[in-house]
Amino acid sequence: MQALTLDKLLSYRNDISIPDLATGEALIELRLAGICATDLELVKGYAGFSGILGHEFVGTVTAVADDKHRDWLNRRVVGSINIGCNVCEVCRRDGPEHCLHRKVLGIRGKDGVFADYFSLPVANLYTVPEAVPDQAAVFTEPLAAALRVVKQIAALPITDIAVVGPGRLGLLIAKVLSLAGYRVTVLGRSAASLALPKQWQLATGLITDIADNRFDCVVDASGQAAGFAQALRIVKPRGTLVLKSTFAGNAALDLSKVVVYEINIIGSRCGPFADALALLAENKLPVETMIDGQYQLQDGLAAFEHAAQAGVRKILLQPAKPHEPCR
């Protein structure tokens, strides 16, 4: 099969073996996959990953390892990306997201989805509702990550929120926070970067125009150290700073404000897939307006170059023969 593989350098190959299935796994044929900021950082060396990249997908189950899972055959699915050991205390108490021995699809110890076929435990799969087309379903994983922020701050006395970074994830975070009733402002470095947030009926502003200590809560979805510094600058004393960015490199950061003004920092990662699918089925988020290009896997290197350009949001990958729309 064909796949995009990372071994220090990103490569397209068409001689990769279709994966064998372990107990409890399903074989999934790719329908659509999305390139996200984490994929771009992995290519730069983040996390030291080698293998097939990709973790945002919608696909069709074509085989299962166990007869008891035969009812999954031919289902259109998305899947959560963390695969825990299922025996440690963290897995038993909290689930696989923070298992110290976990594998993460296309990120840590598990080949990802930028391939004709890939495998994932059936326990990780979610059936896509018929009302959700492929080009919306492919946003399930980042939308779930956005919804995680809503859950994490729900009990805090927060009204005004700034989202730093109007890119792929930042836009989704801002919209779900707005739908949850918060007053949200999306902050970017240029007017052009704020055009789509305005189209989504979100308040916007230039980060350089914002005074120090302005917001109760700031979400950093900028994907860079400079964005974190700006987010820290504009959060109020005793405010909350939610970190969503992962990036390669070791940045020098001045954290004195965190101590002096008792800033509450929350790390935020993966979220609820079922809730994300339900929200997509309600058609309240125009996610397809985020798509800036769609490439076949064989053109994957060009797709990555496009995705890395400033201002580009979602670039999709598809197998050589695109699937018929599934409704």
Side-chain angles (χ1 to χ4, degrees):
M1 67 174 186
Q2 57 182 342
L4 296 180
T5 65
L6 180 64
D7 184 7
K8 296 184 179 178
L9 296 175
L10 183 65
S11 301
Y12 166 79
R13 295 178 57 181
N14 59 9
D15 60 349
I16 303 295
S17 298
I18 294 175
D20 295 324
L21 297 183
T23 300
E25 285 192 328
L27 183 68
I28 302 162
E29 183 179 9
L30 180 67
R31 298 176 69 91
L32 277 180
I35 299 174
C36 85
T38 300
D39 299 315
L40 297 173
E41 292 300 316
L42 288 167
V43 172
K44 297 177 186 177
Y46 170 69
F49 176 75
S50 294
I52 299 172
L53 286 173
H55 58 275
E56 299 178 5
F57 77 91
V58 55
T60 303
V61 176
T62 61
V64 292
D66 311 287
D67 283 344
K68 65 180 180 180
H69 295 139
R70 289 188 61 81
D71 60 331
W72 282 93
L73 289 173
N74 300 316
R75 287 196 199 183
R76 193 167 55 114
V77 297
V78 294
S80 58
I81 67 176
N82 297 285
I83 306 166
C85 69
N86 297 317
V87 296
C88 72
E89 180 182 355
V90 174
C91 278
R92 294 198 305 269
R93 184 186 65 222
D94 301 320
E97 287 79 11
H98 303 295
C99 171
L100 296 178
H101 310 289
R102 73 186 181 279
K103 297 179 180 179
V104 185
L105 183 68
I107 297 174
R108 175 176 173 173
K110 173 69 174 175
D111 279 337
V113 307
F114 295 163
D116 288 325
Y117 296 90
F118 54 94
S119 64
L120 200 60
V122 170
N124 288 54
L125 300 182
Y126 295 80
T127 302
V128 178
E130 289 187 5
V132 180
D134 287 350
Q135 287 193 321
V138 75
F139 285 90
T140 303
E141 193 276 338
L143 180 56
L147 288 168
R148 175 65 176 156
V149 177
V150 180
K151 290 183 177 291
Q152 287 176 296
I153 68 171
L156 300 177
I158 291 169
T159 302
D160 292 320
I161 300 179
V163 177
V164 177
R168 307 166 184 88
L169 183 55
L171 188 52
L172 292 174
I173 293 169
K175 190 62 176 180
V176 298
L177 287 170
S178 178
L179 290 173
Y182 295 97
R183 290 200 297 265
V184 181
T185 305
V186 182
L187 300 175
R189 294 181 296 174
S190 69
S193 71
L194 300 172
L196 190 56
K198 287 181 179 179
Q199 184 180 323
W200 282 28
Q201 299 182 326
L202 293 164
T204 63
L206 296 175
I207 186 66
T208 52
D209 291 342
I210 304 300
D212 295 355
N213 309 311
R214 166 67 178 79
F215 288 93
D216 301 326
C217 176
V218 180
V219 181
D220 173 27
S222 66
Q224 53 187 302
F228 170 81
Q230 289 280 23
L232 183 58
R233 178 182 67 81
I234 65 175
V235 70
K236 289 180 178 179
R238 304 195 73 182
T240 297
L241 182 55
V242 182
L243 302 184
K244 271 292 189 184
S245 296
T246 55
F247 50 85
N250 298 312
L253 301 172
D254 181 1
L255 299 178
S256 58
K257 182 177 179 178
V258 175
V259 178
V260 174
Y261 291 107
E262 297 184 332
I263 305 301
N264 178 34
I265 294 182
I266 299 176
S268 184
R269 191 162 151 260
C270 299
F273 270 60
D275 292 352
L277 285 169
L279 190 56
L280 288 171
E282 293 175 9
N283 199 29
K284 291 184 177 180
L285 288 89
V287 291
E288 290 163 84
T289 62
M290 294 176 65
I291 299 171
D292 287 331
Q294 187 164 317
Y295 293 75
Q296 294 186 359
L297 279 173
Q298 65 193 44
D299 300 317
L301 300 185
F304 264 76
E305 289 182 5
H306 190 175
Q309 293 175 13
V312 172
R313 289 190 171 85
K314 189 59 65 179
I315 299 298
L316 301 182
L317 291 166
Q318 66 182 42
K321 295 181 179 180
H323 290 270
E324 292 297 321
C326 188
R327 294 281 187 173

